[in-house]
Amino acid sequence: MTARGLVLAAIAAAAAALVAGEVYGAHAARETFEILLPLGALTVGAARLLVLQRERAGGLRRQVLLAAALVTGQLLVAVGLFAWLMLVSHMDVLFTVLVVAYSCLLGLWAARALGGSVLLDLRAVRRGLVQVGEGEREIAIETRGRDELADLARDVERMVERLSVEERARSAADDARRDLLAAVSHDLRTPLTSIQVLAEAIEDGVVDDETRREYAARLAVHARAFSGLIDDLFELSRLEAGDIHWTMERVAVAELVEETVDAMRPQAEAGRVVVSTELGQADAWAQANPERIQRVLFNLLQNAIRHTPADGSVTVRAEQRDGAVEIEVADTGSGISPEDRAVVFDAFVQGNGERARSNGSAGLGLAIARAIVEAHGGRIWLADAPVGTRVRFSLPGR
Ligand SMILES: Nc1ncnc2c1ncn2[C@@H]1O[C@H](COP(=O)(O)OP(=O)(O)OP(=O)(O)O)[C@@H](O)[C@H]1O
Ligand SMILES: [Mg+2]
């Protein structure tokens, strides 16, 4: 910085000398150069010192004032020297010095005023940052200028906006995690309590052999439900953590649907529910993991059968649409109430405000189905149904 300042001072002094030489001859040119160059070098040196000692110079306003004072001082000295060396009359010297001093005074005042205005903007930014530190997230920083400080103020506002969005997301995730933990512990406790009660009854030896056998059988049922629940939880937490290492392959949709429906038929027949398929385009292919999609279909069919009264029906449809495959499980059952429709795909949500039934269902089926479908790049939703429920999902076609 100093070298560049010195070069500038030398060039400016030479230019001034050239002008003086043109008008008053070589002598004037030399004197001009000899006066201006040392003065310029001194000013550059003083400016450098000012920069090096900035921390001692105090606040911004004082720094601006010092820089202005430097220029003013240089101006006064230069004028004084010229007047003295060039033997200007006393009257001229007096008036010249007065005019220069007056201009310098006003210049100083202008510098101070500008410094003050910059300072106000700086204080506004500072106040904004203090507010952010105190937890405020809706701040507006008013600046007067349209300069770097104004840019800084906008940057700060944008940063606070991002911060607040991230904080909200984090707090929502924390709430969700807390709710999930509460739901998990509640839902695990229910079958566990049954297991405990049955085991104690068997252990006490107060029941006869037949009752003991019956209790042991019930205990096995509860233990299986308990184990299924833990498997579901484990699967859901892996899916939600994005821990997905499946191989995707070309899947014949019709075949997969028929196979799954056949596997569920005994359960449907037990409830006197008729399950049928409508596979318009039998040649529909999807890019998917067959076991996972079967899991989705199992969950949907299980729900449909569970919520459909005897003599009702469940229909599975599949069709190709816009390069994707859409599969629907429709039933003629009780349907899902409007207030539940928005939340049934969330974990641990069960209809009619019910929670943790003793049959081992925990409200995880649809959450798992959604996680699997979304991991395939598809989506799952409740389609409009005049009667019963229609759950529909899409898969990327092939
Ligand atoms: N076909 C359907 N008809 C009526 N209600 C349904 C249907 N499918 C889902 N529901 C409602 O949505 C809720 C959530 O379904 P989800 O499959 O996630 O859980 P669940 O069946 O209760 O338990 P889980 O699937 O873990 O055994 C159900 O409790 C039920 O109230
Ligand atoms: Mg279910």
Side-chain angles (χ1 to χ4, degrees):
M1 172 217 160
T2 316
R4 233 181 290 161
L6 286 175
V7 170
L8 180 75
I11 293 173
L18 262 176
V19 175
E22 279 299 313
V23 184
Y24 296 112
H27 179 70
R30 206 183 59 243
E31 282 212 328
T32 304
F33 190 72
E34 281 175 2
I35 292 172
L36 287 187
L37 188 64
L39 207 60
L42 262 176
T43 311
V44 170
R48 177 78 190 140
L49 200 70
L50 192 64
V51 171
L52 286 177
Q53 299 289 320
R54 251 186 78 194
E55 80 269 23
R56 288 223 214 145
L60 255 188
R61 197 192 294 245
R62 261 190 77 189
Q63 290 179 34
V64 173
L65 263 181
L66 276 174
L70 195 67
V71 176
T72 310
Q74 189 222 22
L75 201 58
L76 279 172
V77 172
V79 168
L81 274 176
F82 272 108
W84 178 53
L85 289 174
M86 307 266 180
L87 301 172
V88 184
S89 77
H90 285 311
M91 200 172 137
D92 287 350
V93 171
L94 181 71
F95 282 118
T96 311
V97 168
L98 281 179
V99 167
V100 170
Y102 181 72
S103 306
C104 289
L105 190 73
L106 288 182
L108 280 174
W109 175 83
R112 195 173 179 278
L114 183 69
S117 169
V118 169
L119 221 60
L120 279 180
D121 284 357
L122 207 63
R123 282 204 193 112
V125 174
R126 189 162 169 247
R127 245 195 330 273
L129 286 172
V130 169
Q131 283 174 324
V132 175
E134 286 168 352
E136 195 135 345
R137 291 295 176 262
E138 267 177 40
I139 58 162
I141 302 174
E142 300 283 345
T143 51
R144 291 153 183 247
R146 290 186 176 196
D147 49 14
E148 286 85 346
L149 274 174
D151 292 346
L152 180 69
R154 298 297 81 77
D155 285 347
V156 169
E157 283 173 354
R158 271 196 294 275
M159 180 198 79
V160 176
E161 239 174 71
R162 271 204 307 277
L163 191 73
S164 122
V165 168
E166 275 169 25
E167 279 178 351
R168 272 202 299 273
R170 211 172 309 134
S171 119
D174 279 352
D175 287 352
R177 212 167 299 134
R178 236 192 318 277
D179 288 353
L180 197 71
L181 205 65
V184 168
S185 33
H186 177 272
D187 286 10
L188 289 182
R189 205 178 310 126
T190 312
L192 203 58
T193 311
S194 308
I195 291 172
Q196 206 175 340
V197 169
L198 289 167
E200 276 167 8
I202 293 171
E203 200 181 28
D204 284 349
V206 288
V207 290
D208 58 45
D209 277 358
E210 196 183 330
T211 315
R212 187 177 307 138
R213 266 195 299 279
E214 191 198 318
Y215 278 9
R218 268 162 54 187
L219 203 145
V221 169
H222 281 303
R224 260 199 302 280
F226 189 60
S227 153
L229 184 60
I230 290 180
D231 287 348
D232 280 358
L233 266 174
F234 189 59
E235 167 138 26
L236 189 65
S237 74
R238 273 183 37 182
L239 282 166
E240 287 189 342
D243 183 6
I244 296 153
H245 302 288
W246 317 323
T247 48
M248 298 288 195
E249 54 189 79
R250 201 162 170 250
V251 176
V253 176
E255 215 174 288
L256 189 82
V257 169
E258 291 291 4
E259 206 181 289
T260 318
V261 166
D262 283 344
M264 291 297 283
R265 246 192 202 108
Q267 198 175 323
E269 277 161 9
R272 289 209 286 130
V273 173
V274 178
V275 190
S276 59
T277 55
E278 281 176 21
L279 307 166
Q281 279 154 307
D283 59 345
W285 294 90
Q287 182 65 12
N289 177 286
E291 286 84 36
R292 306 293 150 169
I293 296 308
Q294 205 152 40
R295 176 75 200 270
V296 174
L297 281 170
F298 270 132
N299 288 2
L300 301 188
L301 281 166
Q302 198 175 46
N303 283 349
I305 294 167
R306 191 186 282 161
H307 294 281
T308 303
D311 300 328
S313 66
V314 173
T315 313
V316 186
R317 299 186 181 92
E319 58 177 334
Q320 211 142 22
R321 186 180 276 201
D322 305 329
V325 177
E326 284 188 12
I327 304 174
E328 177 184 280
V329 177
D331 63 58
T332 57
S334 52
I336 299 177
S337 67
E339 59 269 26
D340 285 343
R341 286 176 75 90
V343 290
V344 282
F345 289 101
D346 291 343
F348 293 106
V349 168
Q350 297 194 294
N352 309 320
E354 266 182 81
R355 295 195 21 86
R357 293 175 197 151
S358 52
N359 64 5
S361 72
L364 291 174
L366 288 179
I368 290 175
R370 178 173 65 178
I372 292 175
V373 169
E374 287 180 356
H376 277 80
R379 65 182 194 97
I380 187 165
W381 68 99
L382 294 177
D384 288 334
V387 283
T389 306
R390 284 182 183 203
V391 187
R392 208 172 169 86
F393 65 97
S394 65
L395 289 176
R398 176 73 194 252

